[in-house]
mmCIF file of all heavy atoms in Angstrom:
data_model
loop_
_atom_site.group_PDB
_atom_site.id
_atom_site.type_symbol
_atom_site.label_atom_id
_atom_site.label_comp_id
_atom_site.label_asym_id
_atom_site.label_seq_id
_atom_site.Cartn_x
_atom_site.Cartn_y
_atom_site.Cartn_z
ATOM 1 N N ARG A 8 6.883 -6.238 19.485
ATOM 2 C CA ARG A 8 6.455 -5.208 18.542
ATOM 3 C C ARG A 8 7.184 -5.381 17.223
ATOM 4 O O ARG A 8 8.247 -5.969 17.147
ATOM 5 C CB ARG A 8 6.732 -3.819 19.114
ATOM 6 C CG ARG A 8 5.741 -3.418 20.197
ATOM 7 C CD ARG A 8 5.916 -1.977 20.590
ATOM 8 N NE ARG A 8 4.884 -1.552 21.517
ATOM 9 C CZ ARG A 8 4.775 -0.329 21.989
ATOM 10 N NH1 ARG A 8 5.647 0.595 21.619
ATOM 11 N NH2 ARG A 8 3.816 -0.016 22.829
ATOM 12 N N GLY A 9 6.599 -4.839 16.190
ATOM 13 C CA GLY A 9 7.223 -4.922 14.877
ATOM 14 C C GLY A 9 6.305 -4.366 13.813
ATOM 15 O O GLY A 9 5.229 -3.824 14.099
ATOM 16 N N LYS A 10 6.702 -4.526 12.582
ATOM 17 C CA LYS A 10 5.941 -3.991 11.463
ATOM 18 C C LYS A 10 4.601 -4.702 11.363
ATOM 19 O O LYS A 10 4.530 -5.933 11.409
ATOM 20 C CB LYS A 10 6.725 -4.163 10.169
ATOM 21 C CG LYS A 10 6.073 -3.507 8.960
ATOM 22 C CD LYS A 10 6.948 -3.665 7.735
ATOM 23 C CE LYS A 10 6.267 -3.012 6.518
ATOM 24 N NZ LYS A 10 7.096 -3.162 5.290
ATOM 25 N N PRO A 11 3.488 -3.962 11.247
ATOM 26 C CA PRO A 11 2.184 -4.606 11.094
ATOM 27 C C PRO A 11 2.184 -5.573 9.918
ATOM 28 O O PRO A 11 2.739 -5.293 8.853
ATOM 29 C CB PRO A 11 1.241 -3.420 10.852
ATOM 30 C CG PRO A 11 1.924 -2.261 11.511
ATOM 31 C CD PRO A 11 3.383 -2.495 11.305
ATOM 32 N N GLY A 12 1.556 -6.734 10.118
ATOM 33 C CA GLY A 12 1.508 -7.753 9.088
ATOM 34 C C GLY A 12 2.547 -8.838 9.251
ATOM 35 O O GLY A 12 2.429 -9.914 8.659
ATOM 36 N N THR A 13 3.580 -8.579 10.051
ATOM 37 C CA THR A 13 4.592 -9.600 10.310
ATOM 38 C C THR A 13 4.142 -10.501 11.463
ATOM 39 O O THR A 13 3.299 -10.131 12.266
ATOM 40 C CB THR A 13 5.946 -8.969 10.650
ATOM 41 O OG1 THR A 13 5.792 -8.142 11.827
ATOM 42 C CG2 THR A 13 6.435 -8.107 9.502
ATOM 43 N N LYS A 14 4.729 -11.693 11.526
ATOM 44 C CA LYS A 14 4.305 -12.686 12.503
ATOM 45 C C LYS A 14 5.297 -12.804 13.650
ATOM 46 O O LYS A 14 6.492 -12.557 13.488
ATOM 47 C CB LYS A 14 4.141 -14.057 11.831
ATOM 48 C CG LYS A 14 3.036 -14.119 10.799
ATOM 49 C CD LYS A 14 2.904 -15.509 10.208
ATOM 50 C CE LYS A 14 1.751 -15.571 9.195
ATOM 51 N NZ LYS A 14 1.605 -16.937 8.607
ATOM 52 N N VAL A 15 4.793 -13.184 14.795
ATOM 53 C CA VAL A 15 5.635 -13.495 15.948
ATOM 54 C C VAL A 15 4.995 -14.691 16.654
ATOM 55 O O VAL A 15 3.775 -14.793 16.759
ATOM 56 C CB VAL A 15 5.758 -12.283 16.905
ATOM 57 C CG1 VAL A 15 4.399 -11.846 17.417
ATOM 58 C CG2 VAL A 15 6.698 -12.603 18.053
ATOM 59 N N THR A 16 5.829 -15.599 17.119
ATOM 60 C CA THR A 16 5.355 -16.810 17.790
ATOM 61 C C THR A 16 5.671 -16.731 19.273
ATOM 62 O O THR A 16 6.824 -16.503 19.656
ATOM 63 C CB THR A 16 6.004 -18.064 17.185
ATOM 64 O OG1 THR A 16 5.657 -18.144 15.795
ATOM 65 C CG2 THR A 16 5.507 -19.324 17.887
ATOM 66 N N LEU A 17 4.662 -16.900 20.099
ATOM 67 C CA LEU A 17 4.814 -16.871 21.550
ATOM 68 C C LEU A 17 4.587 -18.271 22.108
ATOM 69 O O LEU A 17 3.644 -18.958 21.714
ATOM 70 C CB LEU A 17 3.818 -15.904 22.201
ATOM 71 C CG LEU A 17 3.846 -14.446 21.745
ATOM 72 C CD1 LEU A 17 2.813 -13.646 22.539
ATOM 73 C CD2 LEU A 17 5.226 -13.845 21.903
ATOM 74 N N THR A 18 5.460 -18.674 23.014
ATOM 75 C CA THR A 18 5.260 -19.910 23.761
ATOM 76 C C THR A 18 4.703 -19.526 25.123
ATOM 77 O O THR A 18 5.335 -18.784 25.872
ATOM 78 C CB THR A 18 6.568 -20.701 23.911
ATOM 79 O OG1 THR A 18 7.092 -20.985 22.599
ATOM 80 C CG2 THR A 18 6.325 -22.018 24.638
ATOM 81 N N ILE A 19 3.504 -20.022 25.418
ATOM 82 C CA ILE A 19 2.744 -19.612 26.592
ATOM 83 C C ILE A 19 2.646 -20.763 27.582
ATOM 84 O O ILE A 19 2.329 -21.898 27.203
ATOM 85 C CB ILE A 19 1.323 -19.164 26.200
ATOM 86 C CG1 ILE A 19 1.363 -18.018 25.192
ATOM 87 C CG2 ILE A 19 0.507 -18.793 27.433
ATOM 88 C CD1 ILE A 19 1.857 -16.718 25.740
ATOM 89 N N ALA A 20 2.908 -20.483 28.860
ATOM 90 C CA ALA A 20 2.655 -21.446 29.933
ATOM 91 C C ALA A 20 1.442 -20.964 30.709
ATOM 92 O O ALA A 20 1.401 -19.819 31.151
ATOM 93 C CB ALA A 20 3.867 -21.568 30.851
ATOM 94 N N ARG A 21 0.467 -21.848 30.868
ATOM 95 C CA ARG A 21 -0.752 -21.519 31.599
ATOM 96 C C ARG A 21 -0.883 -22.468 32.786
ATOM 97 O O ARG A 21 -0.770 -23.688 32.635
ATOM 98 C CB ARG A 21 -1.954 -21.626 30.671
ATOM 99 C CG ARG A 21 -3.258 -21.162 31.257
ATOM 100 C CD ARG A 21 -4.343 -21.095 30.184
ATOM 101 N NE ARG A 21 -4.079 -20.015 29.228
ATOM 102 C CZ ARG A 21 -4.764 -19.829 28.100
ATOM 103 N NH1 ARG A 21 -5.748 -20.661 27.804
ATOM 104 N NH2 ARG A 21 -4.461 -18.824 27.297
ATOM 105 N N LYS A 22 -1.097 -21.911 33.965
ATOM 106 C CA LYS A 22 -1.080 -22.721 35.179
ATOM 107 C C LYS A 22 -2.119 -23.831 35.173
ATOM 108 O O LYS A 22 -1.940 -24.852 35.821
ATOM 109 C CB LYS A 22 -1.277 -21.817 36.408
ATOM 110 C CG LYS A 22 -0.090 -20.910 36.673
ATOM 111 C CD LYS A 22 -0.311 -20.045 37.901
ATOM 112 C CE LYS A 22 0.892 -19.140 38.151
ATOM 113 N NZ LYS A 22 0.698 -18.259 39.326
ATOM 114 N N SER A 23 -3.201 -23.626 34.461
ATOM 115 C CA SER A 23 -4.251 -24.630 34.439
ATOM 116 C C SER A 23 -4.019 -25.708 33.376
ATOM 117 O O SER A 23 -4.838 -26.613 33.230
ATOM 118 C CB SER A 23 -5.606 -23.953 34.192
ATOM 119 O OG SER A 23 -5.589 -23.244 32.965
ATOM 120 N N GLU A 24 -2.906 -25.612 32.644
ATOM 121 C CA GLU A 24 -2.615 -26.585 31.590
ATOM 122 C C GLU A 24 -1.232 -27.191 31.803
ATOM 123 O O GLU A 24 -0.311 -26.522 32.291
ATOM 124 C CB GLU A 24 -2.700 -25.918 30.210
ATOM 125 C CG GLU A 24 -4.079 -25.357 29.902
ATOM 126 C CD GLU A 24 -4.136 -24.668 28.548
ATOM 127 O OE1 GLU A 24 -3.100 -24.666 27.842
ATOM 128 O OE2 GLU A 24 -5.205 -24.124 28.207
ATOM 129 N N THR A 25 -1.081 -28.448 31.428
ATOM 130 C CA THR A 25 0.180 -29.160 31.666
ATOM 131 C C THR A 25 1.206 -28.923 30.567
ATOM 132 O O THR A 25 2.407 -29.013 30.815
ATOM 133 C CB THR A 25 -0.087 -30.670 31.786
ATOM 134 O OG1 THR A 25 -0.752 -31.130 30.597
ATOM 135 C CG2 THR A 25 -0.957 -30.959 33.004
ATOM 136 N N LYS A 26 0.770 -28.617 29.358
ATOM 137 C CA LYS A 26 1.681 -28.425 28.237
ATOM 138 C C LYS A 26 1.709 -26.965 27.814
ATOM 139 O O LYS A 26 0.677 -26.286 27.850
ATOM 140 C CB LYS A 26 1.254 -29.296 27.053
ATOM 141 C CG LYS A 26 1.369 -30.801 27.316
ATOM 142 C CD LYS A 26 0.976 -31.579 26.064
ATOM 143 C CE LYS A 26 1.097 -33.085 26.302
ATOM 144 N NZ LYS A 26 0.708 -33.863 25.092
ATOM 145 N N PRO A 27 2.891 -26.487 27.381
ATOM 146 C CA PRO A 27 2.964 -25.111 26.875
ATOM 147 C C PRO A 27 2.099 -24.948 25.625
ATOM 148 O O PRO A 27 1.894 -25.886 24.859
ATOM 149 C CB PRO A 27 4.452 -24.911 26.545
ATOM 150 C CG PRO A 27 5.156 -25.985 27.297
ATOM 151 C CD PRO A 27 4.217 -27.137 27.395
ATOM 152 N N ARG A 28 1.620 -23.761 25.437
ATOM 153 C CA ARG A 28 0.787 -23.440 24.285
ATOM 154 C C ARG A 28 1.588 -22.547 23.352
ATOM 155 O O ARG A 28 2.132 -21.530 23.768
ATOM 156 C CB ARG A 28 -0.474 -22.735 24.762
ATOM 157 C CG ARG A 28 -1.400 -22.244 23.690
ATOM 158 C CD ARG A 28 -2.577 -21.521 24.308
ATOM 159 N NE ARG A 28 -3.360 -22.414 25.140
ATOM 160 C CZ ARG A 28 -4.677 -22.554 25.030
ATOM 161 N NH1 ARG A 28 -5.328 -21.863 24.122
ATOM 162 N NH2 ARG A 28 -5.333 -23.361 25.831
ATOM 163 N N VAL A 29 1.697 -22.926 22.078
ATOM 164 C CA VAL A 29 2.428 -22.139 21.082
ATOM 165 C C VAL A 29 1.421 -21.413 20.206
ATOM 166 O O VAL A 29 0.549 -22.035 19.588
ATOM 167 C CB VAL A 29 3.348 -23.038 20.234
ATOM 168 C CG1 VAL A 29 4.081 -22.199 19.191
ATOM 169 C CG2 VAL A 29 4.339 -23.786 21.113
ATOM 170 N N VAL A 30 1.536 -20.095 20.168
ATOM 171 C CA VAL A 30 0.567 -19.263 19.450
ATOM 172 C C VAL A 30 1.321 -18.353 18.487
ATOM 173 O O VAL A 30 2.272 -17.677 18.885
ATOM 174 C CB VAL A 30 -0.260 -18.398 20.427
ATOM 175 C CG1 VAL A 30 -1.292 -17.585 19.675
ATOM 176 C CG2 VAL A 30 -0.931 -19.270 21.479
ATOM 177 N N THR A 31 0.916 -18.347 17.247
ATOM 178 C CA THR A 31 1.492 -17.436 16.261
ATOM 179 C C THR A 31 0.519 -16.298 16.013
ATOM 180 O O THR A 31 -0.653 -16.533 15.674
ATOM 181 C CB THR A 31 1.802 -18.165 14.943
ATOM 182 O OG1 THR A 31 2.761 -19.198 15.191
ATOM 183 C CG2 THR A 31 2.374 -17.191 13.922
ATOM 184 N N LEU A 32 0.997 -15.087 16.205
ATOM 185 C CA LEU A 32 0.154 -13.904 16.054
ATOM 186 C C LEU A 32 0.693 -13.037 14.925
ATOM 187 O O LEU A 32 1.903 -13.019 14.661
ATOM 188 C CB LEU A 32 0.119 -13.083 17.337
ATOM 189 C CG LEU A 32 -0.399 -13.769 18.603
ATOM 190 C CD1 LEU A 32 0.779 -14.387 19.365
ATOM 191 C CD2 LEU A 32 -1.105 -12.782 19.504
ATOM 192 N N VAL A 33 -0.212 -12.323 14.292
ATOM 193 C CA VAL A 33 0.169 -11.358 13.254
ATOM 194 C C VAL A 33 0.114 -9.966 13.859
ATOM 195 O O VAL A 33 -0.933 -9.538 14.363
ATOM 196 C CB VAL A 33 -0.778 -11.451 12.037
ATOM 197 C CG1 VAL A 33 -0.390 -10.403 10.993
ATOM 198 C CG2 VAL A 33 -0.742 -12.849 11.439
ATOM 199 N N ARG A 34 1.246 -9.278 13.852
ATOM 200 C CA ARG A 34 1.289 -7.929 14.405
ATOM 201 C C ARG A 34 0.338 -7.008 13.641
ATOM 202 O O ARG A 34 0.141 -7.165 12.441
ATOM 203 C CB ARG A 34 2.712 -7.365 14.336
ATOM 204 C CG ARG A 34 3.735 -8.127 15.182
ATOM 205 C CD ARG A 34 5.090 -7.468 15.056
ATOM 206 N NE ARG A 34 6.107 -8.100 15.879
ATOM 207 C CZ ARG A 34 6.972 -9.019 15.431
ATOM 208 N NH1 ARG A 34 6.920 -9.389 14.150
ATOM 209 N NH2 ARG A 34 7.877 -9.534 16.241
ATOM 210 N N ALA A 35 -0.216 -6.076 14.369
ATOM 211 C CA ALA A 35 -1.166 -5.147 13.761
ATOM 212 C C ALA A 35 -0.969 -3.769 14.357
ATOM 213 O O ALA A 35 -0.343 -3.609 15.410
ATOM 214 C CB ALA A 35 -2.596 -5.625 14.000
ATOM 215 N N VAL A 36 -1.497 -2.773 13.665
ATOM 216 C CA VAL A 36 -1.570 -1.435 14.249
ATOM 217 C C VAL A 36 -2.699 -1.482 15.262
ATOM 218 O O VAL A 36 -3.859 -1.696 14.911
ATOM 219 C CB VAL A 36 -1.833 -0.357 13.186
ATOM 220 C CG1 VAL A 36 -2.031 1.010 13.846
ATOM 221 C CG2 VAL A 36 -0.681 -0.303 12.197
ATOM 222 N N ILE A 37 -2.339 -1.357 16.532
ATOM 223 C CA ILE A 37 -3.319 -1.492 17.599
ATOM 224 C C ILE A 37 -4.055 -0.166 17.765
ATOM 225 O O ILE A 37 -3.475 0.821 18.200
ATOM 226 C CB ILE A 37 -2.643 -1.911 18.921
ATOM 227 C CG1 ILE A 37 -1.767 -3.142 18.705
ATOM 228 C CG2 ILE A 37 -3.697 -2.160 19.979
ATOM 229 C CD1 ILE A 37 -2.510 -4.369 18.219
ATOM 230 N N LYS A 38 -5.316 -0.179 17.404
ATOM 231 C CA LYS A 38 -6.163 0.998 17.607
ATOM 232 C C LYS A 38 -7.226 0.607 18.613
ATOM 233 O O LYS A 38 -8.228 -0.017 18.264
ATOM 234 C CB LYS A 38 -6.806 1.455 16.296
ATOM 235 C CG LYS A 38 -5.803 1.947 15.255
ATOM 236 C CD LYS A 38 -6.518 2.427 14.005
ATOM 237 C CE LYS A 38 -5.529 2.942 12.976
ATOM 238 N NZ LYS A 38 -6.200 3.416 11.734
ATOM 239 N N THR A 39 -6.985 0.931 19.834
ATOM 240 C CA THR A 39 -7.907 0.518 20.884
ATOM 241 C C THR A 39 -9.054 1.518 21.001
ATOM 242 O O THR A 39 -8.844 2.727 20.982
ATOM 243 C CB THR A 39 -7.183 0.412 22.229
ATOM 244 O OG1 THR A 39 -6.578 1.664 22.541
ATOM 245 C CG2 THR A 39 -6.115 -0.656 22.182
ATOM 246 N N LYS A 40 -10.253 0.991 21.120
ATOM 247 C CA LYS A 40 -11.424 1.824 21.360
ATOM 248 C C LYS A 40 -11.536 2.028 22.859
ATOM 249 O O LYS A 40 -11.754 1.085 23.607
ATOM 250 C CB LYS A 40 -12.673 1.152 20.800
ATOM 251 C CG LYS A 40 -12.647 0.987 19.283
ATOM 252 C CD LYS A 40 -13.911 0.297 18.805
ATOM 253 C CE LYS A 40 -13.883 0.109 17.298
ATOM 254 N NZ LYS A 40 -15.094 -0.603 16.826
ATOM 255 N N SER A 41 -11.406 3.254 23.261
ATOM 256 C CA SER A 41 -11.330 3.546 24.685
ATOM 257 C C SER A 41 -12.656 3.338 25.398
ATOM 258 O O SER A 41 -12.682 2.856 26.532
ATOM 259 C CB SER A 41 -10.838 4.980 24.887
ATOM 260 O OG SER A 41 -10.787 5.306 26.245
ATOM 261 N N VAL A 42 -13.775 3.696 24.760
ATOM 262 C CA VAL A 42 -15.086 3.644 25.417
ATOM 263 C C VAL A 42 -16.080 2.912 24.521
ATOM 264 O O VAL A 42 -16.188 3.215 23.333
ATOM 265 C CB VAL A 42 -15.610 5.051 25.743
ATOM 266 C CG1 VAL A 42 -17.009 4.987 26.347
ATOM 267 C CG2 VAL A 42 -14.657 5.774 26.685
ATOM 268 N N LYS A 43 -16.787 1.942 25.111
ATOM 269 C CA LYS A 43 -17.870 1.242 24.424
ATOM 270 C C LYS A 43 -19.112 1.340 25.298
ATOM 271 O O LYS A 43 -18.997 1.389 26.530
ATOM 272 C CB LYS A 43 -17.497 -0.217 24.169
ATOM 273 C CG LYS A 43 -16.207 -0.366 23.367
ATOM 274 C CD LYS A 43 -15.851 -1.822 23.128
ATOM 275 C CE LYS A 43 -14.558 -1.936 22.334
ATOM 276 N NZ LYS A 43 -14.208 -3.338 22.028
ATOM 277 N N PHE A 44 -20.277 1.319 24.678
ATOM 278 C CA PHE A 44 -21.483 1.513 25.479
ATOM 279 C C PHE A 44 -22.672 0.834 24.821
ATOM 280 O O PHE A 44 -22.656 0.504 23.625
ATOM 281 C CB PHE A 44 -21.761 3.009 25.678
ATOM 282 C CG PHE A 44 -22.021 3.770 24.397
ATOM 283 C CD1 PHE A 44 -23.319 3.995 23.959
ATOM 284 C CD2 PHE A 44 -20.966 4.255 23.638
ATOM 285 C CE1 PHE A 44 -23.569 4.698 22.788
ATOM 286 C CE2 PHE A 44 -21.198 4.952 22.468
ATOM 287 C CZ PHE A 44 -22.508 5.170 22.038
ATOM 288 N N LYS A 45 -23.715 0.615 25.643
ATOM 289 C CA LYS A 45 -24.906 -0.068 25.149
ATOM 290 C C LYS A 45 -26.028 0.089 26.169
ATOM 291 O O LYS A 45 -25.773 0.143 27.379
ATOM 292 C CB LYS A 45 -24.608 -1.552 24.927
ATOM 293 C CG LYS A 45 -25.788 -2.370 24.431
ATOM 294 C CD LYS A 45 -25.405 -3.837 24.310
ATOM 295 C CE LYS A 45 -26.580 -4.670 23.821
ATOM 296 N NZ LYS A 45 -26.222 -6.108 23.713
ATOM 297 N N LEU A 46 -27.259 0.139 25.697
ATOM 298 C CA LEU A 46 -28.418 0.011 26.577
ATOM 299 C C LEU A 46 -28.646 -1.474 26.813
ATOM 300 O O LEU A 46 -28.991 -2.210 25.881
ATOM 301 C CB LEU A 46 -29.660 0.633 25.945
ATOM 302 C CG LEU A 46 -29.959 2.101 26.248
ATOM 303 C CD1 LEU A 46 -31.210 2.539 25.487
ATOM 304 C CD2 LEU A 46 -30.123 2.353 27.737
#
């Protein structure tokens, strides 16, 4: 967590992959939509 707009880098290990995955994400104010719907 941190100030929205700042970056954080995660090193990810995935069982289906042999090499770690490095991902840089930009923190955001997380506003989750609780319910979505469609016909």
Side-chain angles (χ1 to χ4, degrees):
R8 285 188 174 182
K10 186 177 179 181
T13 60
K14 295 182 178 180
V15 59
T16 300
L17 303 182
T18 302
I19 302 291
R21 187 171 291 171
K22 291 181 180 179
S23 59
E24 299 178 2
T25 57
K26 294 182 179 180
R28 176 182 297 231
V29 179
V30 182
T31 299
L32 301 92
V33 178
R34 296 181 177 97
V36 175
I37 308 299
K38 295 182 179 180
T39 57
K40 296 179 181 178
S41 178
V42 177
K43 303 180 180 183
F44 62 96
K45 179 183 180 181
L46 269 178

